[in-house]
Amino acid sequence: MRNLARLRAALLLASVLCASCDKSASKGNDQAPGPAPSAASTPAPAASAAVPEGKTTAAPVETAAPAEAPSGLAGTWEGRYEAKRGAVEMPPKVTDKTRAADDGKTATGAGTISLTVEASGDVKGKNEGALGAAVLSGKTEGDDVRCTFFPDDPLAKNAMFGIFSGKRDGDRIVGKIRVAGPDASLVREADVELRKK
């Protein structure tokens, strides 16, 4: 129930932000139009300036070439991990009773992760095991691979949300999963070594 309330609050905030964006974008268009120029004061276009029907005089817009994954990174990568209780740094003299109550038994243990790197640099993947069923989505930047980690069922009691970050090192991707539960009382992490399938 608490998770559902959070999702509703996030959707409400997004709709408010979108509404304010629409208002600010339309502010410059609220001015009354000026008087239309008279036919007498508007010079007729020269015959040489006429544009054939279906043609345009606008200069072509140059688009940047899409980023591509570095050679050898594209493909499917798989690996196993052991999830453990994650470390959370607190300010000096601050006691975190919520995390102190975490016995480290929930959402720990073995799991598997699979990532597919497209030639475009887009990354998609899935997770199974101790951290729950989840999808991963992200991009490459050079040899770096960064993804969000999002549970298949975000309303599940122990759903985990977080990130995967890794870097290609020769014939493997060495990375780390870092996730937390819906109320951040459970924090988990795992070192991962992925090999190309």
Side-chain angles (χ1 to χ4, degrees), residues 73 75-79 115 117 140 143-145 164-176 192-196:
L73 191 56
T76 299
W77 300 75
E78 296 179 342
L115 297 178
V117 180
T140 62
D143 284 328
D144 293 324
V145 180
F164 166 84
S165 60
K167 188 177 185 73
R168 182 174 63 165
D169 180 13
D171 62 350
R172 60 188 186 149
I173 295 176
V174 179
K176 186 179 222 70
V192 189
E193 184 176 298
L194 303 168
R195 299 275 181 177
K196 209 165 190 180

Side-chain angles (χ1 to χ4, degrees), residues 56-159:
T56 178
T57 58
V61 178
E62 291 185 18
T63 56
E68 294 183 2
S71 176
L73 191 56
T76 299
W77 300 75
E78 296 179 342
R80 296 182 172 276
Y81 62 81
E82 283 290 323
K84 61 182 181 180
R85 187 175 169 186
V88 177
E89 288 188 26
M90 301 296 292
K93 299 182 181 179
V94 173
T95 303
D96 188 347
K97 294 180 181 178
T98 302
R99 290 191 184 86
D102 176 13
D103 61 9
K105 293 180 180 177
T106 303
T108 55
T112 60
I113 184 173
S114 172
L115 297 178
T116 298
V117 180
E118 305 289 347
S120 64
D122 291 330
V123 183
K124 293 180 181 178
K126 63 179 182 176
N127 178 82
E128 295 176 349
L131 298 177
V135 293
L136 291 95
S137 178
K139 292 285 285 180
T140 62
E141 187 175 326
D143 284 328
D144 293 324
V145 180
R146 294 187 180 90
C147 300
T148 58
F149 185 108
F150 195 83
D152 284 0
D153 181 4
L155 299 180
K157 180 181 177 183
N158 294 318

